[in-house]
Amino acid sequence: MSIRNQKDFAAGLIYVLAGAGFSLGALEYRLGDPARMGPGFFPFWVGVLLAIVGLLTLAGGVRRTAGVEGVKRLEIGPMAWILGGVVLFGLLLQPLGLVLALTVLVLVSSRASHEFTWRGALINAAALVAFSTAVFIHGINLQIPLWPVALG
């Protein structure tokens, strides 16, 4: 057995490890059954499904008919932009509110792409703000500020 598609093999391995981690972590909680689900039921089965998808992806990487593809070099810069955007969102949500924190998230994260344009990022931010406001503020009445505390 040889690994023909290293990219699929590595992705499958990550899925299997993540799924196993979720499933094993969920065993710390009561699972219950489908009629009376416990707090560990959903994460356990999501982990199992993720591990199954991982096994299928992993198997695709060792198939004889798989295209030969290597794993590319790790891009630290784009990962830092995306992670930085998420961290900023978490730090800015309470003081600035959902609208401004999401805008910062999208603008910072979009710098990770070589196709970055301010116009596209602002359009994406507006769409995400509209969707998130509709779902989280108006739909499920999540108690987070929409605007900075100083304004309201």
Side-chain angles (χ1 to χ4, degrees):
M1 174 180 85
S2 67
I3 301 170
R4 291 186 49 82
N5 191 323
Q6 293 176 353
K7 186 176 170 184
D8 283 353
F9 187 85
L13 190 60
I14 290 169
Y15 293 160
V16 168
L17 293 174
F22 274 103
S23 293
L24 291 174
L27 292 176
E28 298 291 320
Y29 301 99
R30 186 176 56 80
L31 291 179
D33 55 54
R36 285 194 204 122
M37 296 180 203
F41 189 86
F42 184 74
F44 175 80
W45 287 108
V46 167
V48 168
L49 290 174
L50 185 60
I52 290 170
V53 167
L55 287 172
L56 293 172
T57 305
L58 198 139
V62 296
R63 274 193 346 244
R64 252 185 264 146
T65 59
V68 177
E69 189 172 356
V71 176
K72 294 186 172 101
R73 184 176 65 85
L74 193 61
E75 298 283 340
I76 300 296
M79 286 178 19
W81 281 112
I82 293 170
L83 185 59
V86 172
V87 168
L88 279 173
F89 174 78
L91 293 172
L92 298 175
L93 182 59
Q94 286 301 323
L96 293 185
L98 183 66
V99 173
L100 295 178
L102 271 176
T103 303
V104 168
L105 167 69
V106 172
L107 291 177
V108 170
S109 297
S110 63
R111 296 279 298 142
S113 172
H114 64 280
E115 299 172 7
F116 169 78
T117 64
W118 285 104
R119 182 173 183 255
L122 289 172
I123 291 170
N124 283 337
L128 183 61
V129 165
F131 176 78
S132 297
T133 301
V135 170
F136 298 116
I137 304 293
H138 301 295
I140 62 174
N141 294 323
L142 200 58
Q143 297 299 313
I144 55 175
L146 192 56
W147 293 102
V149 178
L151 294 179

